[in-house]
Amino acid sequence: MGDSKAVPIKEMPLGLDTTTEEEYALQSKLLQEFTSIPSIDKAWTFKSDDGIGSQAMFSISQPNLLANKRRKSILSTHIFKDNNSSVNFRWSPFPVEMTGVSTIVPSPSGSKLFVVRNPESESPSQFEIWGSSQLEKEFHIPQTVHGSVYTDGWFEGISWNFDETLVAYVAEEPSPSKPTFNDLGYKKGGSTDKDCSSWKGQGDWEEEWGETYAGKRQPALFVININSGEVRPVKGIKKSLSVGQVVWAPSAKDMHQYLVFVGWSSDTRKLGIKYCYNRPCALYAVKSPIYMSEANELELKDSSTEDVPVFNLTQQISSAFFPRFSPDGKCLVFLSARSSVDSGAHSATDSLHRIDWSTDVTLWPSAKIVDVIPVVMSAEDGHLPGLYCSSFLSNPWLSDGCTMIISSFWRSSQVILAVNVLSMEVLRISPAESNFSWNVLTLDGDNIVAVSSSPVNVPQIKYGCIVEKKTKAAAWSWLDVSSSIYKCSEKVRSLLSSLQFSIMEIPVKDVSDSLTKGASKPFEAIFVSSNSKKSDACDPLIVILHGGPHSVSLTSFSKSSAFLSSIGFSLLIVNYRGSLGFGEEALQSLPGKVGQQDVNDVLTAIDHVIDKGLASPSKITVLGGSHGGFLTTHLIGQAPDKFVAAAVRNPVCNLALMVGTTDIPDWCYVEACGSKGKDIFSEAPSADYLTLFHSKSPISHLSKVKTPTLFLLGAQDLRVPVSNGLQYARALREKGGEVKVIVFPNDVHEIGRPQSDFESFLNIGVWFRKYCQ
């Protein structure tokens, strides 16, 4: 027989034909170019050693697809401000990668840097104290003292005291000892981890704080002396209180130092807290485990034998968080989500408050809470629609000591506000004529380092300066800053330059007398389209729906949305009534009407762009995640002939199933029943409520669905467990519907791991192109 070489048979990936594979290859290359655009996570400024200008440090992250992690780095710059019309940022030539670093926190003077490296296993937490040129101290804190330090942005709190000798922080309380067994049965007294002749049981199950907090039981408060490395837990705090967001209270000389922190009570069940501001919380003050010795040196004091009082500072209000002391220490300012707590809505309009701070601790519990910015019910056009903050700067104060700089949602955009906490004056200081979104990164004295972006413009660093300081409404000048941080490929720049966006006002359809004034006002949608129409034909449309439902889609840059608009789609991004940023009346109009009011708003927005000739009724697709997936699956059931394709990420499809499996069962009651749902919520819903939940769910319209639907599901999702999407997808497939399902085994609700996010939006792009040919 003659020689013959076996020709390998080319295997196609599961579910792909040749055409689809080519589309995958084409789109994936472009998606990688969008994905690689970095983001700025945080920024800090410092005084220069030479007294000329200032220095800044930017924490940057970028997806590392191969490692399936985010790569973190630090980039430094010198800032030279010549006048109010010129600023120069002199960047260091390269960023420095921060391998293994969980978070960094500069000291108030900028002379020290506290670095946290959380362990990935049972190893100790690692703390480093850096000076200007070298590592000064390094400490390893064993798991017997505490677990990982919280760097989640919510419980997270790392705070230097004023003389920079102590750091207070929030970490996981040590795990309770577990029962030990060996060949003789139960072993009294337990065992060491190195004992090979025994094994550990599980012990009692403990509640966790739900989505993204798997394995986290109890955030607790600790203080470390950075000279000795000694760590002490803060005593006196009840076990039923989870703590976070700690800051040091101002203290007079030779007085005890106190810590102010946020506490969330959980006497019975810990309901999910991620994205849920309706969990009651308060500000507390407690004595630090420290005293001044005769040698006038700081010492850590073991207060286990004495009764340490813990003061509730905000008993008069149901929610208080993000505590910030004014520079002079005379007032304590905090944000409140009381409208969310009181109504049961998972997020709502915030309010800002002030307590005049006293050095007399006996006055703290009875201190008057002053409203700085109250909850706005319904604002007139052009006026503050309400306060909607997702974070505060660690130091948000201008040099007058009473003006805070904060970012807040303003309808479909994010803006920068200057808030005088004494006069209660609120000014919008980012450009009022701009539809872009603006976010403050840090302050440089009385100047602001911010970032501005739009759906078709990559973020750009801006430098804000007060031009007319003496006038009542000080004018601000915003200077462009040259930076390569947001560098993207020429192809991406070219594609983005061919796009445009606008904010559309959509009148409410069928306004009735029962609607409040705020709920009767137009809602908004962001429309992204090509700026060069080559023919009379419209580009296919993707309707994008945010989750929540009490969230908002902003006019900021989104890499995934920019990718979808760059492959030939127009985008209609709808902020239906119930979204943040539009006042409390509009927001509270939705609970009890989900699957009806929000669905009708989306259909009204679609008809609006069709009537304007901006979209073809034969080429409409719809995309949503979480509650956006709830809306998407409702739409393809209630309007079965309107959409040629749909895609959902961890969708809510069946409230009757979700209520028994989610970390937020109370959400099901509130959104289905209205604010009364907060009071009737039960872990054991009656048959009547299960019937109501089913009737409000997309699965009740399943028999009418014709639309090919892509499901993207995270198997570790505690918010909308994977069973919800799978049940709907299986039922749809059972009745002959066209369905594609991708399950990401290690992803939670967000599906945010770099590889999963990439594969999600690649499949969305390919799926929609397939049905819009």
Side-chain angles (χ1 to χ4, degrees), residues 5 147 255 276 370 398 478 760:
K5 291 184 179 179
M255 276 189 64
C276 293
V370 179
L398 295 184
W478 294 94
S760 289

Side-chain angles (χ1 to χ4, degrees), residues 382-623:
H383 290 75
L384 178 75
L387 193 61
Y388 303 91
C389 294
S390 55
S391 64
F392 277 177
L393 296 179
S394 56
N395 179 16
W397 303 97
L398 295 184
S399 63
D400 65 4
C402 58
T403 300
M404 293 180 76
I405 303 298
I406 57 180
S407 303
S408 179
F409 307 151
W410 187 301
R411 301 180 71 81
S412 296
S413 298
Q414 188 171 35
V415 303
I416 300 175
L417 303 175
V419 181
N420 188 309
V421 300
L422 299 181
S423 69
M424 284 75 140
E425 183 182 28
V426 182
L427 297 175
R428 175 178 175 175
I429 60 174
S430 52
E433 70 280 0
S434 171
N435 278 342
F436 284 42
S437 279
W438 294 68
N439 185 35
V440 59
L441 294 173
T442 188
L443 303 186
D444 182 26
D446 277 343
N447 305 307
I448 300 172
V449 181
V451 67
S452 169
S453 71
S454 85
V456 301
N457 297 91
V458 294
Q460 181 175 8
I461 297 175
K462 300 281 188 175
Y463 194 80
C465 316
I466 301 178
V467 180
E468 300 171 26
K469 200 170 184 178
K470 295 179 180 178
T471 60
K472 184 181 179 183
W476 285 75
S477 168
W478 294 94
L479 308 175
D480 292 339
V481 173
S482 177
S483 163
S484 60
I485 291 179
Y486 294 108
K487 187 177 181 180
C488 56
S489 69
E490 281 303 316
K491 184 172 186 180
V492 167
R493 286 200 176 278
S494 175
L495 286 166
L496 291 176
S497 68
S498 68
L499 301 172
Q500 61 186 356
F501 84 99
S502 62
I503 300 175
M504 295 179 167
E505 284 201 345
I506 316 290
V508 173
K509 203 172 181 180
D510 302 326
V511 175
S512 67
D513 293 338
S514 62
L515 285 179
T516 59
K517 180 182 176 183
S520 305
K521 290 184 173 182
F523 57 97
E524 289 183 348
I526 303 163
F527 187 69
V528 182
S529 62
S530 170
N531 58 24
S532 55
K533 205 170 183 183
K534 299 185 177 82
S535 67
D536 291 337
C538 296
D539 288 334
L541 180 71
I542 303 175
V543 180
I544 298 180
L545 305 171
H546 65 70
H550 309 302
S551 177
V552 64
S553 292
L554 297 170
T555 58
S556 54
F557 185 72
S558 159
K559 290 186 277 189
S560 55
S561 295
F563 161 71
L564 293 173
S565 55
S566 294
I567 58 172
F569 290 94
S570 295
L571 309 180
L572 181 66
I573 307 166
V574 185
N575 284 320
Y576 45 87
R577 283 173 295 164
S579 301
L580 299 178
F582 294 81
E584 188 65 5
E585 285 185 352
L587 186 143
Q588 293 293 350
S589 70
L590 183 56
K593 300 177 186 174
V594 292
Q596 177 190 347
Q597 178 179 293
D598 43 5
V599 168
N600 290 335
D601 282 354
V602 176
L603 291 172
T604 300
I606 294 170
D607 290 341
H608 183 82
V609 292
I610 291 173
D611 292 344
K612 284 184 169 292
L614 299 173
S616 166
S618 63
K619 288 187 178 181
I620 298 175
T621 66
V622 59
L623 163 65

